[in-house]
Amino acid sequence: MPASSDHAPARVLGPLATLVAALTLLPVVVVVVRGGADGWSAAVDYLVRPRIGELLAHTGWLLLLTVPAAMVLGIVAAWLVERTDLPLAGLWRTLMLAPLAVPAFVSSYAWISWQPQLVGLGGAVLVTTLAYFPFVFLPVASLLRALDGGEEEAARSLGLGPLRAALRTVLPRLRPAISGGALLVALHLLAEYGVLEMMRYQTFTTAILQQYAVGFSDTPGSLLATVLVGLCLVVLALEVAARGRRRVARVGSGAGRRADPVPLRGWRAPALVFLGAVAALAVAVPVVMVLRWLLVGQSQRGVDLSDLGPVTLSTLALALAGGVLAVALALPGALLLARRHGPLAILLERSTFLASALPGVVIALALIGVAVDVAPAIYQTALLLVLAYAILFIPRAMVSLRAGLAAAPPELSEAARALGARGVSVLTRVVLPLAAPSVLGGFVLVALAITTELTATLLLAPTGVETLALAFWGAADELDYTAAAPYAAMMIALSVPLTVVLRRQITKEG
Amino acid sequence: MTPTLSRRTLIAALLASPVVLSACSGDEKYVPDPEALQIYSSQHQNVTEAWARAFTDATGIKTQVRSGTDSSMGHMIVQEGDASPADVFLTENSPAMTVVERAGMLAPVEETTLEQVGEGRAPSSGMWTGIAARSTVLVYNTSMITPAELPASMMDLQDAAWAGRWGCAPGGADFQAIVAGMLVDRGEEETAAWLEGLKDGAEIYQNNIATMKAVNAGEVPVGIMYHYYWYRDQAGTKEGSGNTELHYFGDQDPGAFVSLSAGGVLATTDKADEAQQFLAYLTSPEGQEVLVSSGSMEYPVARGVPADPALPPLDSLDAPLVDPSALDSDKVVMMMTDAGIL
């Protein structure tokens, strides 16, 4: 046997990973092909009209206002928590991540039931900013905590004040974290449906669901979806440009040291008020409103919890199946990346990310089309829904797996092979056990995303299957706040572990 | 057990779980039960389920309901074509049924069933039957507007004087049925002009309930909706309608349009007999009684079955006479798209 036996797994992994990438890109292809079904000029006629301009403007304003707002909020909060002598930093760290445990459409339900006049762009920006700023906070906080304080000190020794030293040395190194977080916010905004429907603010995603409602999965819906795909590509390209090429890592571990906390002095009170207000608006409002409606429902007619159990169970079953499938599908690509960092591996990884930038509704539209035409046997089955979940959330599994597999050095696989183990048994006996925590981490991330997924579920849920998100949406859509509350409470309860997992992600690096 | 071993067990369990899950998915909730009558329904879920239960109790025939919304379900059946699992289709409004009818996918409804239904409560084609009815109304906020100031016709709402002062839910099939009625009654030109007025002057809501609550909250003085949401709320907490009253246009105005909920049997069904029995049951006095007592506040359509006493009699509403076969929802969607509403 030649020494570089890694060629063998690559021969298997390469095709497998390519298959997965093809699967994830399938929805894009289907949507574009369907959109062009009536010919080029029909497509142009449909797309070049005032209504599309209106949707573009709406979507554009939302991005233009929410993304910067979420960035500022996330960066300021992260800096206060990780780099100053703020009291109770641990508590604030948790509170700044807690909005992730509240699905955005649940917060909008809380806001609109408390302040019904909050409709249109203003309400949409408020709710999405509060719901999504943790996507910026998380990477920035964990990088701020991990960054070496030495450079900042050097800058200060050269005569810069603390603020300018931070701006000159820390901020540039935060660029990838900030732009990565902003990218997530932007992609979530493009895909957002529940919040915007409730706030009566129409974007491409709400228009696609409306098209689906009037015409099943027809050409206009696919055309709108194609525009949305285009917008996703623009956002992805902007992020690559914004990220820059500056190095974050240092060569050699050296003797890195934590930066000294910046004393807030007179700014301590305003800082506490600021973080307190953010926490109150982003976490307390939804939680209090959900509890309030639970109590109102309880006193009015007694909360009918008979549906909650089965609905929770079917949600968990879908989350389990989707989580497992996503992890399994991410595995070949992640292994390939961990072992052979060639251009093919990188291309495959990027392609799964592109697919995941697509809103659930686009994936669902495409899968409905394919299933009806090609595979009627899986149409309207849980299998198709689970497949959609897997395609949507493979990158979450991928990110986690890559980190974990990096911890399983190839030398150990080599050693196992030298001792006579073959491919699959090397995988199950050496590699996977070492990567187990990250496998589980990836699974949890995917499962939690599935628990609150709305648009793909709306279109693909099989006959008789009700999920928490569907049950909540059904009631909230009719403005029946009391009936929606138990499902909202259950979704929040199930999402709490996510916050715990993520919080660990910040602190373990410090 | 070493930690590695337990991890390995965990991973094995995780990887094996799809197999376990797929074995469990024989659960009747996840796949169509081939023995059960497959009912595709965009009628309100609680009403459909009450009907399906009562029918199963009465006949022993198993039923399974797939819920959806009017247009999407109608088009879904057409796309499924011969492979459609559906045996029976029930809609909230009739245009979705007309979509399926025009695709040639319906079997004629049995004569005896049609005879149970009142005059004008089924299409001239005989390919489906009405199973319930609902009337268009104008809901108004009594503290914002007096009855004397109300529009005489729904067509008046396109006037600049009403701009920003009325609400509706044009994205839903309910509203599209009303526009389809207008299209038959007033023709393309008038309807297109009215839709332009809507685009410029109406506040857009998700659905009838949101429209009613907006009027109740004083966001707009008046709104177009169907009657029964209001009566249901009045019968309950009045939370969403306490500040409002209903205005019936009457006078065969497009705003007095009565929409039929429709029931049809798919031509492709292998349970034609059971499917026809189901429609016969829905339109029988017994089945219509299920509708009335469900609290849905929709109108029964069978001869001799009275509506809930809270409702003004259906025959007193002076609705425009429209053959439901003529309602063209695809055309309406196209016109609404042209007007920039969809």
Side-chain angles (χ1 to χ4, degrees):
Chain A
M1 189 187 281
S4 58
S5 57
D6 260 9
H7 287 299
R11 265 206 301 277
V12 185
L13 290 176
L16 273 179
T18 311
L19 266 179
V20 172
L23 177 72
T24 58
L25 286 178
L26 179 71
V28 185
V29 176
V30 171
V31 159
V32 173
V33 169
R34 291 213 141 208
D38 293 348
W40 178 246
S41 69
V44 171
D45 279 352
Y46 183 81
L47 290 177
V48 181
R49 60 192 186 103
R51 168 73 170 164
I52 302 296
E54 194 178 293
L55 293 174
L56 264 181
H58 276 200
T59 308
W61 275 115
L62 187 66
L63 288 171
L64 228 52
L65 293 173
T66 298
V67 175
M71 283 166 73
V72 169
L73 213 56
I75 295 168
V76 171
W79 185 75
L80 284 174
V81 169
E82 300 300 340
R83 280 298 173 97
T84 67
D85 61 349
L86 187 81
L88 300 173
L91 173 71
W92 293 115
R93 192 179 293 127
T94 308
L95 282 176
M96 291 300 107
L97 286 172
L100 290 177
V102 185
F105 56 92
V106 170
S107 340
S108 70
Y109 143 95
W111 276 96
I112 207 97
S113 69
W114 180 38
Q115 298 287 327
Q117 77 285 2
L118 250 186
V119 290
L121 180 59
V125 169
L126 175 78
V127 171
T128 50
T129 302
L130 290 171
Y132 294 150
F133 83 87
F135 289 131
V136 178
F137 175 85
L138 178 70
V140 173
S142 81
L143 194 58
L144 272 179
R145 207 178 153 89
L147 273 186
D148 183 11
E151 279 192 33
E152 210 174 335
E153 239 160 64
R156 292 196 60 180
S157 74
L158 291 171
L160 289 180
L163 187 63
R164 294 185 63 192
L167 286 179
R168 293 274 286 275
T169 63
V170 181
L171 204 56
R173 285 187 293 174
L174 287 178
R175 255 173 82 173
I178 295 171
S179 65
L183 171 70
L184 273 181
V185 174
L187 292 176
H188 271 81
L189 286 174
L190 286 178
E192 183 58 60
Y193 167 72
V195 171
L196 304 172
E197 183 69 49
M198 234 178 265
M199 294 289 175
R200 301 206 285 123
Y201 191 72
Q202 298 214 310
T203 62
F204 274 96
T205 300
T206 65
I208 290 169
L209 271 125
Q210 199 173 51
Q211 277 299 334
Y212 174 84
V214 297
F216 194 51
S217 61
D218 56 355
T219 311
S222 297
L223 276 174
L224 290 178
T226 305
V227 178
L228 197 52
V229 171
L231 289 177
C232 288
L233 286 173
V234 170
V235 166
L236 285 169
L238 281 177
E239 196 267 340
V240 170
R243 191 191 311 147
R245 288 164 171 273
R246 206 183 158 100
R247 278 182 74 105
V248 178
R250 307 183 314 161
V251 178
S253 58
R257 58 179 298 274
R258 286 278 280 287
D260 290 329
V262 175
L264 283 171
R265 297 201 184 90
W267 286 96
R268 180 176 289 203
L272 286 173
V273 169
F274 171 74
L275 291 180
V278 171
L281 295 178
V283 186
V285 168
V287 170
V288 168
M289 288 308 288
V290 167
L291 290 177
R292 194 181 94 83
W293 285 113
L294 268 182
L295 290 175
V296 169
Q298 179 65 45
S299 62
Q300 259 181 14
R301 53 190 172 198
V303 179
D304 179 16
L305 293 176
S306 59
D307 275 353
L308 189 59
V311 169
T312 307
L313 276 181
S314 60
T315 307
L316 288 176
L318 286 170
L320 177 65
V324 168
L325 187 62
V327 170
L329 288 179
L331 204 51
L335 279 169
L336 201 63
L337 270 169
R339 293 289 172 269
R340 301 170 63 78
H341 207 78
L344 172 71
I346 293 170
L347 195 71
L348 292 177
E349 189 210 18
R350 290 289 138 184
S351 68
T352 56
F353 277 83
L354 171 66
S356 85
L358 299 179
V361 61
V362 174
I363 310 264
L365 266 180
L367 289 184
I368 287 174
V370 173
V372 168
D373 292 348
V374 185
I378 63 163
Y379 172 59
Q380 280 188 24
T381 62
L383 180 64
L384 195 63
L385 183 57
V386 168
L387 196 62
Y389 288 149
I391 294 177
L392 268 171
F393 301 127
I394 280 175
R396 292 187 181 226
M398 187 80 108
V399 168
S400 186
L401 278 177
R402 276 193 62 188
L405 290 173
E411 289 77 9
L412 288 184
S413 310
E414 294 294 324
R417 277 197 204 91
L419 293 170
R422 291 283 182 84
V424 175
S425 92
V426 173
L427 183 70
T428 57
R429 292 177 61 187
V430 179
V431 179
L432 285 182
L434 280 168
S438 64
V439 170
L440 275 179
F443 168 78
V444 168
L445 281 179
V446 176
L448 281 161
I450 293 174
T451 311
T452 55
E453 206 288 331
L454 182 61
T455 52
T457 317
L458 270 173
L459 302 193
L460 290 174
T463 305
V465 173
E466 181 115 281
T467 67
L468 289 170
L470 288 186
F472 169 83
W473 184 250
D477 193 35
E478 301 202 337
L479 308 185
D480 189 346
Y481 299 127
T482 50
Y487 303 107
M490 183 59 85
M491 274 187 282
I492 295 176
L494 291 178
S495 303
V496 166
L498 174 70
T499 317
V500 177
V501 169
L502 291 177
R503 192 182 182 282
R504 206 173 293 154
Q505 189 178 325
I506 299 183
T507 46
K508 77 177 176 204
E509 288 167 38
Chain B
M1 193 185 277
T2 68
T4 329
L5 196 61
S6 69
R7 270 185 199 160
R8 203 190 302 154
T9 321
L10 202 55
I11 290 165
L14 272 182
L15 292 177
S17 60
V19 182
V20 179
L21 270 173
S22 63
C24 297
S25 68
D27 179 354
E28 60 171 340
K29 287 215 122 188
Y30 279 81
V31 283
D33 176 352
E35 281 176 35
L37 189 67
Q38 293 296 316
I39 303 164
Y40 273 35
S41 171
S42 50
Q43 171 58 268
H44 290 260
Q45 207 170 340
N46 53 343
V47 177
T48 309
E49 273 164 14
W51 262 331
R53 257 197 315 273
F55 175 70
T56 303
D57 288 348
T59 61
I61 297 171
K62 278 211 271 182
T63 53
Q64 204 176 23
V65 177
R66 176 170 179 84
S67 294
T69 55
D70 270 0
S71 309
S72 116
M73 252 195 167
H75 285 97
M76 178 196 278
I77 291 176
V78 172
Q79 282 212 6
E80 287 173 358
D82 293 344
S84 178
D87 299 312
V88 177
F89 183 29
L90 305 182
T91 67
E92 211 173 314
N93 297 280
S94 63
M97 187 65 81
T98 314
V99 167
V100 181
E101 181 182 0
R102 287 180 186 175
M105 291 181 65
L106 293 181
V109 176
E110 279 173 1
E111 273 306 318
T112 46
T113 299
L114 292 172
E115 279 160 18
Q116 299 187 105
V117 173
E119 195 76 40
R121 308 277 177 245
S124 54
S125 67
M127 298 304 282
W128 51 270
T129 174
I131 53 173
R134 60 271 299 281
S135 172
T136 314
V137 292
L138 186 79
V139 60
Y140 65 97
N141 186 309
T142 49
S143 62
M144 297 176 80
I145 199 164
T146 65
E149 296 169 301
L150 292 173
S153 163
M154 187 170 77
M155 304 307 285
D156 297 347
L157 293 173
Q158 67 189 295
D159 295 343
W162 283 100
R165 297 179 62 221
W166 65 292
C168 63
D174 288 354
F175 193 83
Q176 286 150 18
I178 298 171
V179 178
M182 180 189 293
L183 184 61
V184 174
D185 204 35
R186 298 294 177 103
E188 191 164 340
E189 206 173 315
E190 270 192 62
T191 304
W194 191 80
L195 287 174
E196 289 289 334
L198 184 159
K199 167 74 180 164
D200 296 336
E203 292 293 317
I204 308 298
Y205 296 94
Q206 289 136 272
N207 52 40
N208 281 305
I209 294 173
T211 306
M212 177 177 81
K213 291 196 170 181
V215 172
N216 188 58
E219 287 176 38
V220 280
V222 304
I224 295 289
M225 59 183 275
Y226 281 151
H227 76 281
Y228 57 94
Y229 295 101
W230 190 85
Y231 286 100
R232 252 188 255 172
D233 196 67
Q234 289 280 314
T237 60
K238 298 193 171 95
E239 197 184 349
S241 68
N243 309 322
T244 65
E245 288 289 343
L246 293 188
H247 170 54
Y248 287 87
F249 287 104
D251 200 19
Q252 303 193 1
D253 189 76
F257 176 73
V258 167
S259 182
L260 288 176
S261 296
V265 170
L266 275 292
T268 47
T269 176
D270 54 356
K271 295 191 182 60
D273 190 35
E274 291 93 330
Q276 292 286 355
Q277 274 188 59
F278 185 64
L279 280 195
Y281 178 80
L282 294 191
T283 50
S284 69
E286 204 186 342
Q288 293 281 289
E289 197 46 54
V290 172
L291 171 73
V292 173
S293 61
S294 73
S296 79
M297 294 286 182
E298 290 170 275
Y299 285 103
V301 293
R303 292 173 200 276
V305 180
D308 189 289
L311 303 176
L314 188 55
D315 294 332
S316 71
L317 301 181
D318 201 11
L321 300 168
V322 176
D323 179 355
S325 283
L327 299 178
D328 187 344
S329 61
D330 286 350
K331 175 87 183 167
V332 167
V333 165
M334 216 163 74
M335 290 179 69
M336 289 175 77
T337 304
D338 287 344
I341 297 162
L342 293 179

